[in-house]
Amino acid sequence: MQSIFYDRARDVNHAIELAREPGAKFIGGGTNLLDLYKSGIEKPVRLVDVSRLALSRIEALPDGGLRIGAMATNTAVATSPLVRQRYRVLSEALLNGATTQLRNMATVGGNLLQRTRCYYFTDPAFSHCNKRDPGSGCDALDGHQRIHAILGASEHCIATHPSDMAVALAALDAVVLLQGPDGERQVPLVDFHRLPEDHPEIDTVIRPGELITAVELPPMPFARNSHYLKVRDRASYAFALVSVAAAVDLEHGSIRDVRIALGGVAHKPWRAAEAETLLRGQAVSSELLARAGEAAVNGARPYPGNAFKVQLAQRAVVRALQTVIRKSGGQP
Ligand code: SF4
C-alpha cells in the first residue's frame, strides 16, 4: 500500500512551499482528484489541502469586472447576484454541470483542472491511454467516440475537456491568476488548457507547484445578454456532447459584438473566433446565423462515432445565438 501524506496549508505561500515536493497535489473540493486517486489514475504522494485558504471571495473590480477566488464553490459562483446580473452565461453553465452536492464541494480552481471523462482514460484495468500512460496508445481511436473531439485533436488523443464553467469563461475573456515558486502570473483562459498534440498527458500550461488563486472577468456589459446551451444524452448529471456559451451585443438589429465558445468538441474550451468575426457588424438574419454555425466548426475532423457532432454543434450555435437575440428583443 502506498503511503500518502496530508497537510493543510495556512496561506498561499505555505501551500506553495508544501507543494514543492515531487508528487504533491493541491486538493480543494476533491470531487475529481479523489475519484482518480481511488481508481489508481492519480498517485499523489502528498495532498496539500488548500480548501481553507482565503480565496473564496467573489468581488466586483473597480473597472466593472469581477474577481472570483479559486476556492469559491461552483454553487457560490452560480448563485452570486453579481455573476447572475453581469455574466449570466457563467451562472447557467455552472447550473448545467454536475449535481447540487458536487457543485457545493467543487471549486473554481478544481473545475478548471478537472480531467477528461474519456471512457478509456478512466478505466485503467482494460484500456490503453496516452493521457494516463504516455506512449501506451489510444483505445478511443478505434473505439467508442461519441463523447470525443471533432476539433483540435491529434493522433495521440481525441479526448474532450469536460468543464461547462470553462466554456463560459472562455467566451467571457476570463484570465486565470496563478501563484507559484517563481511568483505570480496571469494566463488568458483560452490559453490555459492545451491541445493534445504529442503530449496529451499535459492538460494545461500550469507549471509545477503553481496554484490557481483567482479568475478575473473583464467588464463586458453585453454579457448580461448571454446564454449557455448544453446538449447531452440525459437531462441532468451528464457531460456535454456539445455546448455553446454565447453573448451578443445587439444594436438596432445588428450585431455590434459577440462572444461564442464551444464545449464537448475539443481538448479545451473552443473559442469560435471565425464565427465571431463573421457576425460582427452584420444585420441579424437566419442565413447569417446559419453561416456562423458553419464557421464555428470550420476545420472539424470527426471520427465515425462522433460525426453527428459537426451538425449538432452548428445547430447548437444557431440556437444559442437565437436565444440571446430574442431575449435582447431582436428577431433572428
Ligand atoms: Fe486516452 Fe485521450 Fe485516447 Fe481517451 S482519447 S484513450 S484520454 S489518449
Side-chain angles (χ1 to χ4, degrees):
M1 196 168 93
Q2 181 196 320
S3 298
I4 186 165
F5 297 92
Y6 170 88
D7 294 285
R8 181 176 293 166
R10 293 188 300 272
D11 54 37
V12 171
N13 287 331
H14 187 219
I16 292 167
E17 188 58 38
L18 290 168
R20 282 179 183 271
E21 180 180 353
K25 285 258 177 194
F26 295 120
I27 183 166
T31 55
N32 189 214
L33 179 59
L34 292 182
D35 275 352
L36 296 174
Y37 174 61
K38 285 187 278 188
S39 54
I41 297 166
E42 294 280 2
K43 301 180 178 83
V45 297
R46 182 178 296 277
L47 290 176
V48 179
D49 186 346
V50 293
S51 65
R52 314 290 173 95
L53 299 184
L55 296 174
S56 56
R57 290 187 65 189
I58 301 170
E59 51 191 334
L61 297 173
D63 65 359
L66 197 68
R67 178 181 292 134
I68 303 171
M71 289 304 122
T73 65
N74 288 188
T75 297
V77 179
T79 58
S80 158
L82 282 169
V83 173
R84 291 165 70 117
Q85 287 162 14
R86 297 186 186 180
Y87 304 98
R88 182 182 184 86
V89 64
L90 177 56
S91 174
E92 290 184 2
L94 284 161
L95 293 175
N96 270 283
T99 61
T100 303
Q101 291 87 346
L102 285 167
R103 290 194 294 270
N104 287 344
M105 287 299 295
T107 63
V108 167
N111 191 320
L112 290 178
L113 294 174
Q114 65 179 302
R115 308 208 68 191
T116 184
R117 266 48 174 207
C118 169
Y119 326 115
Y120 306 101
F121 173 76
T122 54
D123 180 9
F126 298 105
S127 62
H128 302 96
C129 171
N130 288 323
K131 185 180 281 296
R132 195 184 61 238
D133 300 311
S136 65
C138 171
D139 278 353
L141 292 174
D142 296 313
H144 295 286
Q145 300 143 345
R146 183 168 179 79
I147 63 170
H148 290 84
I150 57 171
L151 290 159
S154 77
E155 60 184 320
H156 303 290
C157 179
I158 60 171
T160 51
H161 194 266
S163 172
D164 294 297
M165 180 194 78
V167 179
L169 293 178
L172 294 170
D173 295 336
V175 175
V176 182
L177 277 57
L178 298 162
Q179 190 168 333
D182 298 324
E184 299 178 26
R185 66 185 180 117
Q186 301 185 359
V187 179
L189 191 282
V190 290
D191 298 328
F192 182 74
H193 299 95
R194 293 180 65 256
L195 291 178
E197 299 174 339
D198 294 344
H199 288 284
E201 75 278 12
I202 306 172
D203 292 341
T204 71
V205 299
I206 203 163
R207 296 172 185 156
E210 276 188 326
L211 177 68
I212 300 173
T213 56
V215 171
E216 285 189 359
L217 299 176
M220 191 182 288
F222 69 89
R224 292 171 188 267
N225 305 321
S226 59
H227 178 55
Y228 189 74
L229 174 65
K230 181 172 180 177
V231 184
R232 48 189 160 175
D233 276 327
R234 58 174 186 263
S236 71
Y237 196 32
F239 294 94
L241 289 171
V242 166
S243 67
V244 179
V248 180
D249 186 2
L250 196 68
E251 186 182 52
H252 306 309
S254 289
I255 296 174
R256 188 160 55 182
D257 205 353
V258 61
R259 299 286 187 280
I260 304 170
L262 280 75
V265 296
H267 199 254
K268 58 187 289 183
W270 192 263
R271 182 74 176 263
E274 192 177 329
E276 293 176 2
T277 302
L278 186 147
L279 290 166
R280 281 193 190 101
Q282 301 298 313
V284 172
S285 69
S286 299
E287 193 256 335
L288 177 73
L289 300 191
R291 285 200 288 130
E294 290 168 9
V297 292
N298 205 3
R301 287 186 53 218
Y303 289 80
N306 67 3
F308 70 95
K309 278 193 177 185
V310 176
Q311 195 174 57
L312 184 63
Q314 290 174 349
R315 291 179 175 180
V317 167
V318 172
R319 175 70 64 87
L321 289 169
Q322 285 175 333
T323 301
V324 181
I325 289 166
R326 285 186 181 132
K327 281 184 185 166
S328 312
Q331 288 295 325

PDB file of all heavy atoms in Angstrom, residues 116 118 120-121 128-131 137-140 148 156-159, ligand 1:
ATOM      1  N   THR A 116     -10.261  14.743 -18.248  1.00  0.00           N
ATOM      2  CA  THR A 116     -11.239  14.257 -19.208  1.00  0.00           C
ATOM      3  C   THR A 116     -12.053  13.084 -18.661  1.00  0.00           C
ATOM      4  O   THR A 116     -11.568  12.312 -17.827  1.00  0.00           O
ATOM      5  CB  THR A 116     -10.550  13.815 -20.511  1.00  0.00           C
ATOM      6  OG1 THR A 116     -11.551  13.435 -21.453  1.00  0.00           O
ATOM      7  CG2 THR A 116      -9.615  12.635 -20.280  1.00  0.00           C
ATOM      8  N   CYS A 118     -13.064  10.776 -20.776  1.00  0.00           N
ATOM      9  CA  CYS A 118     -12.902   9.718 -21.788  1.00  0.00           C
ATOM     10  C   CYS A 118     -13.023   8.356 -21.104  1.00  0.00           C
ATOM     11  O   CYS A 118     -12.366   8.095 -20.095  1.00  0.00           O
ATOM     12  CB  CYS A 118     -11.529   9.847 -22.453  1.00  0.00           C
ATOM     13  SG  CYS A 118     -11.102   8.426 -23.492  1.00  0.00           S
ATOM     14  N   TYR A 120     -11.888   5.526 -21.740  1.00  0.00           N
ATOM     15  CA  TYR A 120     -10.664   4.714 -21.683  1.00  0.00           C
ATOM     16  C   TYR A 120      -9.679   5.285 -20.677  1.00  0.00           C
ATOM     17  O   TYR A 120      -8.947   4.545 -20.019  1.00  0.00           O
ATOM     18  CB  TYR A 120     -10.049   4.614 -23.090  1.00  0.00           C
ATOM     19  CG  TYR A 120     -11.061   4.110 -24.086  1.00  0.00           C
ATOM     20  CD1 TYR A 120     -11.721   4.985 -24.939  1.00  0.00           C
ATOM     21  CD2 TYR A 120     -11.408   2.766 -24.132  1.00  0.00           C
ATOM     22  CE1 TYR A 120     -12.678   4.538 -25.827  1.00  0.00           C
ATOM     23  CE2 TYR A 120     -12.374   2.300 -25.011  1.00  0.00           C
ATOM     24  CZ  TYR A 120     -13.009   3.196 -25.861  1.00  0.00           C
ATOM     25  OH  TYR A 120     -13.976   2.743 -26.727  1.00  0.00           O
ATOM     26  N   PHE A 121      -9.672   6.589 -20.530  1.00  0.00           N
ATOM     27  CA  PHE A 121      -8.821   7.230 -19.522  1.00  0.00           C
ATOM     28  C   PHE A 121      -9.217   6.790 -18.118  1.00  0.00           C
ATOM     29  O   PHE A 121      -8.361   6.552 -17.252  1.00  0.00           O
ATOM     30  CB  PHE A 121      -8.937   8.757 -19.653  1.00  0.00           C
ATOM     31  CG  PHE A 121      -8.233   9.527 -18.574  1.00  0.00           C
ATOM     32  CD1 PHE A 121      -6.851   9.664 -18.590  1.00  0.00           C
ATOM     33  CD2 PHE A 121      -8.946  10.126 -17.544  1.00  0.00           C
ATOM     34  CE1 PHE A 121      -6.190  10.375 -17.586  1.00  0.00           C
ATOM     35  CE2 PHE A 121      -8.295  10.838 -16.548  1.00  0.00           C
ATOM     36  CZ  PHE A 121      -6.919  10.958 -16.568  1.00  0.00           C
ATOM     37  N   HIS A 128      -5.794   1.163 -23.087  1.00  0.00           N
ATOM     38  CA  HIS A 128      -4.557   1.878 -23.359  1.00  0.00           C
ATOM     39  C   HIS A 128      -4.901   3.354 -23.523  1.00  0.00           C
ATOM     40  O   HIS A 128      -5.848   3.699 -24.227  1.00  0.00           O
ATOM     41  CB  HIS A 128      -3.906   1.359 -24.646  1.00  0.00           C
ATOM     42  CG  HIS A 128      -3.612  -0.105 -24.599  1.00  0.00           C
ATOM     43  ND1 HIS A 128      -4.460  -1.058 -25.120  1.00  0.00           N
ATOM     44  CD2 HIS A 128      -2.560  -0.783 -24.063  1.00  0.00           C
ATOM     45  CE1 HIS A 128      -3.950  -2.260 -24.921  1.00  0.00           C
ATOM     46  NE2 HIS A 128      -2.790  -2.122 -24.286  1.00  0.00           N
ATOM     47  N   CYS A 129      -4.101   4.203 -22.923  1.00  0.00           N
ATOM     48  CA  CYS A 129      -4.432   5.624 -22.936  1.00  0.00           C
ATOM     49  C   CYS A 129      -3.157   6.448 -22.802  1.00  0.00           C
ATOM     50  O   CYS A 129      -2.469   6.377 -21.777  1.00  0.00           O
ATOM     51  CB  CYS A 129      -5.399   5.936 -21.787  1.00  0.00           C
ATOM     52  SG  CYS A 129      -5.664   7.702 -21.543  1.00  0.00           S
ATOM     53  N   ASN A 130      -2.866   7.221 -23.837  1.00  0.00           N
ATOM     54  CA  ASN A 130      -1.670   8.075 -23.808  1.00  0.00           C
ATOM     55  C   ASN A 130      -1.741   9.168 -22.756  1.00  0.00           C
ATOM     56  O   ASN A 130      -0.716   9.647 -22.283  1.00  0.00           O
ATOM     57  CB  ASN A 130      -1.478   8.735 -25.181  1.00  0.00           C
ATOM     58  CG  ASN A 130      -1.008   7.752 -26.227  1.00  0.00           C
ATOM     59  OD1 ASN A 130      -0.222   6.855 -25.929  1.00  0.00           O
ATOM     60  ND2 ASN A 130      -1.493   7.922 -27.458  1.00  0.00           N
ATOM     61  N   LYS A 131      -2.941   9.576 -22.427  1.00  0.00           N
ATOM     62  CA  LYS A 131      -3.070  10.627 -21.404  1.00  0.00           C
ATOM     63  C   LYS A 131      -2.749  10.067 -20.022  1.00  0.00           C
ATOM     64  O   LYS A 131      -2.131  10.730 -19.199  1.00  0.00           O
ATOM     65  CB  LYS A 131      -4.491  11.218 -21.434  1.00  0.00           C
ATOM     66  CG  LYS A 131      -4.674  12.395 -20.478  1.00  0.00           C
ATOM     67  CD  LYS A 131      -6.072  12.960 -20.522  1.00  0.00           C
ATOM     68  CE  LYS A 131      -6.304  13.871 -21.707  1.00  0.00           C
ATOM     69  NZ  LYS A 131      -5.466  15.096 -21.671  1.00  0.00           N
ATOM     70  N   GLY A 137      -0.676   4.190 -26.185  1.00  0.00           N
ATOM     71  CA  GLY A 137      -1.676   4.110 -27.250  1.00  0.00           C
ATOM     72  C   GLY A 137      -2.963   4.804 -26.861  1.00  0.00           C
ATOM     73  O   GLY A 137      -3.069   5.373 -25.770  1.00  0.00           O
ATOM     74  N   CYS A 138      -3.911   4.757 -27.787  1.00  0.00           N
ATOM     75  CA  CYS A 138      -5.201   5.431 -27.553  1.00  0.00           C
ATOM     76  C   CYS A 138      -6.320   4.524 -28.041  1.00  0.00           C
ATOM     77  O   CYS A 138      -6.544   4.398 -29.243  1.00  0.00           O
ATOM     78  CB  CYS A 138      -5.238   6.767 -28.302  1.00  0.00           C
ATOM     79  SG  CYS A 138      -6.869   7.557 -28.282  1.00  0.00           S
ATOM     80  N   ASP A 139      -6.999   3.887 -27.123  1.00  0.00           N
ATOM     81  CA  ASP A 139      -8.069   2.956 -27.495  1.00  0.00           C
ATOM     82  C   ASP A 139      -9.280   3.660 -28.093  1.00  0.00           C
ATOM     83  O   ASP A 139     -10.100   3.030 -28.762  1.00  0.00           O
ATOM     84  CB  ASP A 139      -8.509   2.130 -26.275  1.00  0.00           C
ATOM     85  CG  ASP A 139      -7.578   0.948 -26.025  1.00  0.00           C
ATOM     86  OD1 ASP A 139      -6.689   0.716 -26.869  1.00  0.00           O
ATOM     87  OD2 ASP A 139      -7.734   0.275 -24.983  1.00  0.00           O
ATOM     88  N   ALA A 140      -9.396   4.953 -27.871  1.00  0.00           N
ATOM     89  CA  ALA A 140     -10.550   5.672 -28.424  1.00  0.00           C
ATOM     90  C   ALA A 140     -10.479   5.774 -29.947  1.00  0.00           C
ATOM     91  O   ALA A 140     -11.519   5.876 -30.605  1.00  0.00           O
ATOM     92  CB  ALA A 140     -10.633   7.072 -27.820  1.00  0.00           C
ATOM     93  N   HIS A 148     -16.125  12.199 -27.947  1.00  0.00           N
ATOM     94  CA  HIS A 148     -14.766  12.673 -28.243  1.00  0.00           C
ATOM     95  C   HIS A 148     -14.744  13.895 -29.163  1.00  0.00           C
ATOM     96  O   HIS A 148     -15.762  14.376 -29.640  1.00  0.00           O
ATOM     97  CB  HIS A 148     -13.934  11.510 -28.776  1.00  0.00           C
ATOM     98  CG  HIS A 148     -13.625  10.504 -27.708  1.00  0.00           C
ATOM     99  ND1 HIS A 148     -14.505   9.513 -27.370  1.00  0.00           N
ATOM    100  CD2 HIS A 148     -12.567  10.385 -26.873  1.00  0.00           C
ATOM    101  CE1 HIS A 148     -13.995   8.804 -26.362  1.00  0.00           C
ATOM    102  NE2 HIS A 148     -12.817   9.307 -26.051  1.00  0.00           N
ATOM    103  N   HIS A 156      -2.625  11.224 -31.116  1.00  0.00           N
ATOM    104  CA  HIS A 156      -2.289  10.645 -29.813  1.00  0.00           C
ATOM    105  C   HIS A 156      -3.444  10.720 -28.822  1.00  0.00           C
ATOM    106  O   HIS A 156      -3.434  10.021 -27.807  1.00  0.00           O
ATOM    107  CB  HIS A 156      -1.073  11.362 -29.220  1.00  0.00           C
ATOM    108  CG  HIS A 156       0.116  11.330 -30.111  1.00  0.00           C
ATOM    109  ND1 HIS A 156       0.820  10.166 -30.348  1.00  0.00           N
ATOM    110  CD2 HIS A 156       0.711  12.288 -30.875  1.00  0.00           C
ATOM    111  CE1 HIS A 156       1.814  10.415 -31.192  1.00  0.00           C
ATOM    112  NE2 HIS A 156       1.757  11.699 -31.540  1.00  0.00           N
ATOM    113  N   CYS A 157      -4.411  11.581 -29.084  1.00  0.00           N
ATOM    114  CA  CYS A 157      -5.515  11.745 -28.126  1.00  0.00           C
ATOM    115  C   CYS A 157      -6.649  12.543 -28.776  1.00  0.00           C
ATOM    116  O   CYS A 157      -6.402  13.575 -29.407  1.00  0.00           O
ATOM    117  CB  CYS A 157      -5.030  12.476 -26.871  1.00  0.00           C
ATOM    118  SG  CYS A 157      -6.309  12.757 -25.624  1.00  0.00           S
ATOM    119  N   ILE A 158      -7.876  12.052 -28.576  1.00  0.00           N
ATOM    120  CA  ILE A 158      -9.047  12.757 -29.104  1.00  0.00           C
ATOM    121  C   ILE A 158     -10.036  13.076 -27.972  1.00  0.00           C
ATOM    122  O   ILE A 158     -11.235  13.195 -28.196  1.00  0.00           O
ATOM    123  CB  ILE A 158      -9.734  11.952 -30.231  1.00  0.00           C
ATOM    124  CG1 ILE A 158     -10.201  10.577 -29.728  1.00  0.00           C
ATOM    125  CG2 ILE A 158      -8.797  11.803 -31.418  1.00  0.00           C
ATOM    126  CD1 ILE A 158     -11.069   9.829 -30.750  1.00  0.00           C
ATOM    127  N   ALA A 159      -9.497  13.226 -26.777  1.00  0.00           N
ATOM    128  CA  ALA A 159     -10.362  13.487 -25.614  1.00  0.00           C
ATOM    129  C   ALA A 159     -10.916  14.908 -25.649  1.00  0.00           C
ATOM    130  O   ALA A 159     -10.375  15.794 -26.311  1.00  0.00           O
ATOM    131  CB  ALA A 159      -9.571  13.275 -24.328  1.00  0.00           C
TER     132      ALA A 159
HETATM  133 FE1  SF4 B   1      -6.594   8.407 -23.548  1.00  0.00          FE
HETATM  134 FE2  SF4 B   1      -7.045  10.592 -24.950  1.00  0.00          FE
HETATM  135 FE3  SF4 B   1      -7.170   8.248 -26.142  1.00  0.00          FE
HETATM  136 FE4  SF4 B   1      -9.030   8.900 -24.345  1.00  0.00          FE
HETATM  137  S1  SF4 B   1      -8.724   9.888 -26.298  1.00  0.00           S
HETATM  138  S2  SF4 B   1      -7.938   6.923 -24.556  1.00  0.00           S
HETATM  139  S3  SF4 B   1      -7.835  10.175 -22.929  1.00  0.00           S
HETATM  140  S4  SF4 B   1      -5.338   9.148 -25.213  1.00  0.00           S
END
